mmCIF file of all heavy atoms in Angstrom:
data_model
loop_
_atom_site.group_PDB
_atom_site.id
_atom_site.type_symbol
_atom_site.label_atom_id
_atom_site.label_comp_id
_atom_site.label_asym_id
_atom_site.label_seq_id
_atom_site.Cartn_x
_atom_site.Cartn_y
_atom_site.Cartn_z
ATOM 1 N N ARG A 428 -30.653 -8.651 13.647
ATOM 2 C CA ARG A 428 -29.269 -9.122 13.828
ATOM 3 C C ARG A 428 -28.321 -8.024 13.404
ATOM 4 O O ARG A 428 -27.919 -8.009 12.243
ATOM 5 C CB ARG A 428 -29.053 -10.429 13.061
ATOM 6 C CG ARG A 428 -27.841 -11.215 13.536
ATOM 7 C CD ARG A 428 -27.851 -12.664 13.048
ATOM 8 N NE ARG A 428 -26.739 -13.392 13.638
ATOM 9 C CZ ARG A 428 -26.800 -14.093 14.759
ATOM 10 N NH1 ARG A 428 -27.944 -14.171 15.400
ATOM 11 N NH2 ARG A 428 -25.733 -14.694 15.238
ATOM 12 N N PRO A 429 -27.887 -7.103 14.240
ATOM 13 C CA PRO A 429 -28.371 -6.941 15.603
ATOM 14 C C PRO A 429 -29.543 -5.967 15.704
ATOM 15 O O PRO A 429 -30.055 -5.733 16.783
ATOM 16 C CB PRO A 429 -27.144 -6.393 16.323
ATOM 17 C CG PRO A 429 -26.497 -5.520 15.287
ATOM 18 C CD PRO A 429 -26.736 -6.217 13.969
ATOM 19 N N VAL A 430 -29.954 -5.394 14.539
ATOM 20 C CA VAL A 430 -31.064 -4.437 14.527
ATOM 21 C C VAL A 430 -32.020 -4.817 13.399
ATOM 22 O O VAL A 430 -31.654 -5.524 12.462
ATOM 23 C CB VAL A 430 -30.568 -2.986 14.312
ATOM 24 C CG1 VAL A 430 -29.671 -2.541 15.455
ATOM 25 C CG2 VAL A 430 -29.832 -2.847 12.985
ATOM 26 N N VAL A 431 -33.260 -4.337 13.509
ATOM 27 C CA VAL A 431 -34.231 -4.534 12.430
ATOM 28 C C VAL A 431 -34.008 -3.445 11.398
ATOM 29 O O VAL A 431 -34.191 -2.262 11.674
ATOM 30 C CB VAL A 431 -35.673 -4.486 12.963
ATOM 31 C CG1 VAL A 431 -36.659 -4.663 11.809
ATOM 32 C CG2 VAL A 431 -35.889 -5.557 14.021
ATOM 33 N N SER A 432 -33.599 -3.851 10.205
ATOM 34 C CA SER A 432 -33.285 -2.880 9.163
ATOM 35 C C SER A 432 -33.169 -3.622 7.838
ATOM 36 O O SER A 432 -32.841 -4.803 7.804
ATOM 37 C CB SER A 432 -31.962 -2.163 9.475
ATOM 38 O OG SER A 432 -31.525 -1.394 8.382
ATOM 39 N N THR A 433 -33.458 -2.893 6.752
ATOM 40 C CA THR A 433 -33.205 -3.477 5.428
ATOM 41 C C THR A 433 -31.715 -3.439 5.094
ATOM 42 O O THR A 433 -31.286 -4.071 4.123
ATOM 43 C CB THR A 433 -33.989 -2.721 4.348
ATOM 44 O OG1 THR A 433 -33.648 -1.333 4.404
ATOM 45 C CG2 THR A 433 -35.500 -2.901 4.556
ATOM 46 N N ALA A 434 -30.933 -2.718 5.885
ATOM 47 C CA ALA A 434 -29.473 -2.667 5.713
ATOM 48 C C ALA A 434 -28.823 -2.760 7.091
ATOM 49 O O ALA A 434 -28.235 -1.794 7.589
ATOM 50 C CB ALA A 434 -29.055 -1.380 5.005
ATOM 51 N N PRO A 435 -28.936 -3.912 7.758
ATOM 52 C CA PRO A 435 -28.468 -4.023 9.146
ATOM 53 C C PRO A 435 -26.960 -3.937 9.308
ATOM 54 O O PRO A 435 -26.475 -3.846 10.439
ATOM 55 C CB PRO A 435 -28.994 -5.401 9.570
ATOM 56 C CG PRO A 435 -29.136 -6.163 8.290
ATOM 57 C CD PRO A 435 -29.538 -5.158 7.255
ATOM 58 N N TRP A 436 -26.201 -3.977 8.224
ATOM 59 C CA TRP A 436 -24.743 -3.865 8.302
ATOM 60 C C TRP A 436 -24.319 -2.412 8.562
ATOM 61 O O TRP A 436 -23.246 -2.165 9.082
ATOM 62 C CB TRP A 436 -24.107 -4.380 7.010
ATOM 63 C CG TRP A 436 -24.615 -5.738 6.648
ATOM 64 C CD1 TRP A 436 -24.144 -6.948 7.091
ATOM 65 C CD2 TRP A 436 -25.717 -6.035 5.777
ATOM 66 N NE1 TRP A 436 -24.883 -7.972 6.555
ATOM 67 C CE2 TRP A 436 -25.854 -7.447 5.739
ATOM 68 C CE3 TRP A 436 -26.600 -5.262 5.023
ATOM 69 C CZ2 TRP A 436 -26.831 -8.088 4.983
ATOM 70 C CZ3 TRP A 436 -27.575 -5.896 4.267
ATOM 71 C CH2 TRP A 436 -27.688 -7.293 4.252
ATOM 72 N N ARG A 437 -25.175 -1.466 8.186
ATOM 73 C CA ARG A 437 -24.877 -0.045 8.406
ATOM 74 C C ARG A 437 -25.116 0.305 9.879
ATOM 75 O O ARG A 437 -26.102 -0.106 10.476
ATOM 76 C CB ARG A 437 -25.777 0.809 7.523
ATOM 77 C CG ARG A 437 -25.496 2.313 7.630
ATOM 78 C CD ARG A 437 -26.626 3.139 7.057
ATOM 79 N NE ARG A 437 -26.911 2.810 5.661
ATOM 80 C CZ ARG A 437 -28.112 2.427 5.222
ATOM 81 N NH1 ARG A 437 -29.117 2.302 6.075
ATOM 82 N NH2 ARG A 437 -28.306 2.164 3.945
ATOM 83 N N THR A 438 -24.212 1.057 10.473
ATOM 84 C CA THR A 438 -24.406 1.546 11.839
ATOM 85 C C THR A 438 -24.679 3.048 11.788
ATOM 86 O O THR A 438 -24.476 3.690 10.743
ATOM 87 C CB THR A 438 -23.166 1.285 12.716
ATOM 88 O OG1 THR A 438 -22.155 2.265 12.437
ATOM 89 C CG2 THR A 438 -22.609 -0.122 12.490
ATOM 90 N N PRO A 439 -25.119 3.652 12.880
ATOM 91 C CA PRO A 439 -25.348 5.106 12.883
ATOM 92 C C PRO A 439 -24.058 5.925 12.841
ATOM 93 O O PRO A 439 -24.114 7.151 12.665
ATOM 94 C CB PRO A 439 -26.098 5.356 14.192
ATOM 95 C CG PRO A 439 -26.320 4.048 14.823
ATOM 96 C CD PRO A 439 -25.509 3.028 14.133
ATOM 97 N N LEU A 440 -22.922 5.280 13.006
ATOM 98 C CA LEU A 440 -21.640 5.984 12.986
ATOM 99 C C LEU A 440 -21.198 6.171 11.532
ATOM 100 O O LEU A 440 -21.142 5.197 10.774
ATOM 101 C CB LEU A 440 -20.596 5.182 13.752
ATOM 102 C CG LEU A 440 -20.969 4.832 15.201
ATOM 103 C CD1 LEU A 440 -19.943 3.866 15.794
ATOM 104 C CD2 LEU A 440 -21.083 6.102 16.043
#
Side-chain angles (χ1 to χ4, degrees):
R428 199 164 185 93
V430 297
V431 179
S432 170
T433 56
W436 309 274
R437 183 196 303 124
T438 79
L440 304 172

